Amino acid sequence: MAKAIVNMEHVHFRYGHRKALDDIQFQIKEGDFIGLVGPNGGGKTTLIKLILGIEKPTSGSIEIFGQPIEKFKQKNVIGYVSQKANSFNKGFPATVYEVVAMGLTAKLGIMKRLTRQDKMKIKETVAKVGMLDYLYDNIGDLSGGQQQRIFIARALVSDPQLLILDEPTVGVDAENVEKFFDLLHELNQQGISLLLVTHDIGTMTHHAQQVVCLNKTLHFHGNPNTFSSLSKEQLSEYYGHPLNLVTHQH
Amino acid sequence: MLANFFEYEFLRNTFLTGIIIGIIAPLLGTFIVVRRLSLIADALSHVTLAGIAFGLLLEKKTGAVLLTPFYSGLGFSVIGSLFIERLRRVYAAFQELAIPIIMSAGVGLSVIFISIANGFNTDLYSYLFGSVSAVSRQDLMSIGVIALIVCVVIFVYYKELFLLSFDEEHASVTGINAKTIHFIFILLTALVIAASIRIVGVLLVSSLMTLPVASSIRIAKGFKQTIIYAIIYGEVAVIAGLISGYYLEIPPGGTIVMILILLLIITITVKKIATAFVIRKHRLHDEVSE
């Protein structure tokens, strides 16, 4: 059986008096490709923040590779591509190489410089996301889809075993979204587990192996086909409001 | 022309100080500009003015030099930086509000200290606009130590500072202590401002940190290159500004800044022409291949 990378047991989380997550039982195992859907304010981003250790649960336990999260120090095993990766200062003078090198900051620690292997690794990772021709271009000169690839490279360069992506296709055009998912499948086949947060239920059910629907509690965790065959009423109940599904023809 | 600079010690001190601040001001300035904190330098320079006025007042009233204006300015600048940090946390949603608060406090205090000391004198004038003859040997030593601290700290924390400047959220995900790094960064800014004031003056110190970066950012590829070009712009302006200021008998603050402005205009224009040329070349190339 595949080993659990993340294991959440009875996790609750509150922002002040507002309940954000209620009794979450959730696992991410090696090789998973999980799509996380749910309404705005349903706690998707909070769940990610808990896994990344940015927030601490109000109660319950979170284990990363079998260790309590507080004791888990190897920050580089979980890569993260945030929603905000798209809203950085576009005029920032940083080359693709420099941006990807940032991904090694935590692994290296203070004072350590990049070694020759690190530099090779940066180039390999940029090649992996198909952007080697742009290595010394300023990141702000690239298109939205290209920038997103660079941010994935930044998350990948420290060899993570789990990659978390928060709304990664916002601002990326349809054609590039397809290419983007091809890249994700490739990474998944190389053994990297994926947790992908998105609004786009249609695309998600088409690509992910499992779908998780979160609205304060976990409403659904299972096969994407089962999820797409749910009735509109059922989905609206999960979302807490009537739902107009965007369906994609593939 | 340069002979005088090497003949007289005070000019030599000024020249060496100029070369030092021509490196550290644009070096730190690059981080300041990309973090959109350009105005913090201005706020801190006005607090430094209050410190200098305080030092001049002490000198005048006690007759003894317990605390030279350089050190009281440095002290105020560092304290001001601590207040800015505190205020930025209090007004988390309006972080720029810290700047006018600290700036007006600096100006207010300066006015009070200056009037208690019975008004302006030439010394204060040189602090406002810079001077070619104001750097003592001791000042030079202190500025050298400051430069060493700034360079070592930036060398040690380069990766962290860079990541924090680019994307604060990602920095906290990777476990970097953003608060500490940011605090160190503001402290460095206070030090660089205090070090630069003798040459460029209170009113123009922030321009030595930001204008070279404004030019270099137009032409550089990447962050390291931006820093290197900014330092080159800074050095050219400081050296040319000091020499011309000396011979024209104008405070060097004015000449240095105007040279920086001139360099900026030239850079923008050349870049524009070069870009237009490249586009035209591509278009011609496309037409030929069609």
Side-chain angles (χ1 to χ4, degrees):
Chain A
M1 203 178 119
K3 258 183 8 197
I5 299 178
V6 177
N7 191 17
M8 300 179 117
E9 297 271 352
H10 301 293
V11 169
H12 295 255
F13 187 81
R14 286 168 178 281
Y15 287 106
H17 290 295
R18 197 169 61 82
K19 200 186 273 181
L21 292 175
D22 189 25
D23 200 23
I24 304 292
Q25 302 265 20
F26 179 52
Q27 268 200 346
I28 304 173
K29 295 198 198 72
E30 279 178 353
D32 277 353
F33 186 163
I34 301 176
L36 180 59
V37 295
N40 283 329
K44 302 191 295 284
T45 302
T46 308
L47 187 81
I48 289 179
K49 283 184 175 167
L50 287 170
I51 296 174
L52 291 169
I54 302 173
E55 300 278 7
K56 290 194 175 68
T58 318
S59 64
S61 76
I62 303 173
E63 286 180 349
I64 311 280
F65 288 103
Q67 273 185 47
I69 192 162
E70 315 81 61
K71 290 190 183 150
F72 194 80
K73 293 288 173 233
Q74 265 178 288
K75 292 270 185 185
N76 58 297
V77 297
I78 302 180
Y80 174 52
V81 181
S82 79
Q83 210 171 349
K84 287 192 188 133
N86 243 319
S87 61
F88 71 102
N89 173 5
K90 297 286 188 290
F92 197 104
T95 59
V96 164
Y97 179 89
E98 286 175 321
V99 172
V100 176
M102 276 181 219
L104 290 169
T105 307
K107 200 178 183 180
L108 284 169
I110 279 169
M111 284 212 65
K112 297 268 169 45
R113 305 256 127 194
L114 295 173
T115 62
R116 233 175 53 211
Q117 279 108 323
D118 291 332
K119 289 175 184 170
M120 284 294 291
K121 179 82 194 168
I122 292 169
K123 285 181 193 165
E124 274 169 30
T125 315
V126 175
K128 202 187 233 176
V129 298
M131 291 294 293
L132 199 57
D133 289 346
Y134 301 89
L135 193 61
Y136 297 110
D137 283 6
N138 276 342
I139 179 93
D141 296 339
L142 307 179
S143 73
Q146 289 173 323
Q147 283 168 1
Q148 202 53 270
R149 280 171 180 262
I150 301 307
F151 289 118
I152 289 185
R154 176 173 76 169
L156 284 177
V157 72
S158 62
D159 285 325
Q161 301 189 36
L162 168 65
L163 192 59
I164 300 177
L165 306 116
D166 193 356
E167 298 282 359
T169 51
V170 172
V172 179
D173 58 71
E175 188 193 340
N176 282 308
V177 167
E178 276 307 305
K179 283 191 194 158
F180 180 78
F181 275 102
D182 291 343
L183 173 66
L184 290 189
H185 280 295
E186 217 173 283
L187 294 174
N188 190 228
Q189 263 150 30
Q190 288 163 15
I192 298 173
S193 310
L194 300 167
L195 177 65
L196 177 63
V197 175
T198 180
H199 272 98
D200 189 345
I201 297 176
T203 317
M204 176 69 78
T205 47
H206 192 74
H207 291 284
Q209 296 160 358
Q210 298 169 53
V211 171
V212 171
C213 178
L214 179 70
N215 187 9
K216 294 197 171 59
T217 60
L218 280 190
H219 284 286
F220 180 90
H221 186 170
N223 187 299
N225 294 329
T226 322
F227 189 74
S228 10
S229 63
L230 288 173
S231 67
K232 206 172 165 184
E233 288 71 34
Q234 187 68 60
L235 272 177
S236 298
E237 194 193 316
Y238 289 166
Y239 270 66
H241 58 78
L243 200 66
N244 287 317
L245 264 189
V246 190
T247 41
H248 285 246
Q249 305 297 326
H250 290 287
Chain B
M1 266 177 97
L2 269 172
N4 281 355
F5 271 87
F6 296 106
E7 199 170 321
Y8 302 110
E9 200 203 337
F10 73 94
L11 284 180
R12 206 162 50 230
N13 290 343
T14 306
F15 201 72
L16 288 174
T17 306
I19 287 178
I20 293 174
I21 63 167
I23 295 171
I24 58 173
L27 169 63
L28 200 67
T30 309
F31 290 96
I32 291 180
V33 170
V34 296
R35 300 193 64 190
R36 301 184 175 174
L37 295 174
S38 300
L39 287 172
I40 277 192
D42 248 329
L44 284 179
S45 69
H46 286 78
V47 174
T48 313
L49 176 65
I52 288 165
F54 181 71
L56 290 171
L57 174 68
L58 268 189
E59 230 172 58
K60 197 163 176 182
K61 293 289 175 194
T62 62
V65 189
L66 292 168
L67 193 67
T68 65
F70 175 79
Y71 288 108
S72 56
L74 180 66
F76 271 60
S77 182
V78 169
I79 294 168
S81 70
L82 304 183
F83 273 113
I84 286 188
E85 266 321 278
R86 187 87 217 122
L87 283 170
R88 271 162 61 89
R89 238 169 284 158
V90 173
Y91 293 104
F94 307 97
Q95 295 199 341
E96 74 281 4
L97 201 52
I99 292 166
I101 294 174
I102 291 297
M103 178 123 91
S104 49
V107 176
L109 275 176
S110 309
V111 171
I112 291 172
F113 290 142
I114 291 166
S115 66
I116 296 177
N118 291 328
F120 278 87
N121 55 22
T122 44
D123 225 12
L124 188 65
Y125 181 80
S126 84
Y127 278 108
L128 283 179
F129 303 109
S131 162
V132 287
S133 57
V135 184
S136 69
R137 202 180 167 76
Q138 205 199 350
D139 288 347
L140 174 61
M141 300 295 266
S142 315
I143 289 165
V145 171
I146 288 176
L148 193 69
I149 294 172
V150 171
C151 292
V152 168
V153 172
I154 289 188
F155 184 78
V156 171
Y157 288 106
Y158 177 81
K159 289 195 311 295
E160 288 74 14
L161 274 170
F162 178 52
L163 178 53
L164 194 63
S165 308
F166 187 78
D167 170 349
E168 225 159 294
E169 191 196 25
H170 192 82
S172 57
V173 172
T174 47
I176 285 169
N177 191 337
K179 254 188 205 159
T180 310
I181 305 273
H182 187 71
F183 176 69
I184 293 172
F185 173 77
I186 293 287
L187 219 54
L188 289 186
T189 311
L191 289 176
V192 171
I193 286 168
S196 313
I197 271 179
R198 268 328 221 165
I199 305 281
V200 279
V202 168
L203 298 178
L204 298 167
V205 64
S206 68
S207 50
L208 189 59
M209 304 181 96
T210 51
L211 289 181
V213 186
S215 296
S216 93
I217 226 166
R218 301 291 306 165
I219 53 170
K221 280 237 183 283
F223 196 69
K224 276 195 180 140
Q225 216 177 69
T226 306
I227 293 178
I228 293 167
Y229 289 172
I231 291 175
I232 295 172
Y233 277 108
E235 284 296 340
V236 169
V238 167
I239 293 170
L242 277 176
I243 295 173
S244 57
Y246 173 68
Y247 285 103
L248 300 169
E249 294 183 13
I250 295 170
T255 50
I256 291 172
V257 169
M258 285 324 290
I259 290 170
L260 282 171
I261 297 273
L262 193 69
L263 290 173
L264 180 65
I265 293 170
I266 293 172
T267 307
I268 293 173
T269 315
V270 169
K271 167 85 184 184
K272 223 173 182 170
I273 294 170
T275 313
F277 186 73
V278 170
I279 291 172
R280 202 170 146 230
K281 208 171 124 189
H282 278 293
R283 203 174 292 153
L284 280 176
H285 181 80
D286 289 347
E287 276 168 21
V288 169
S289 52
E290 271 170 27

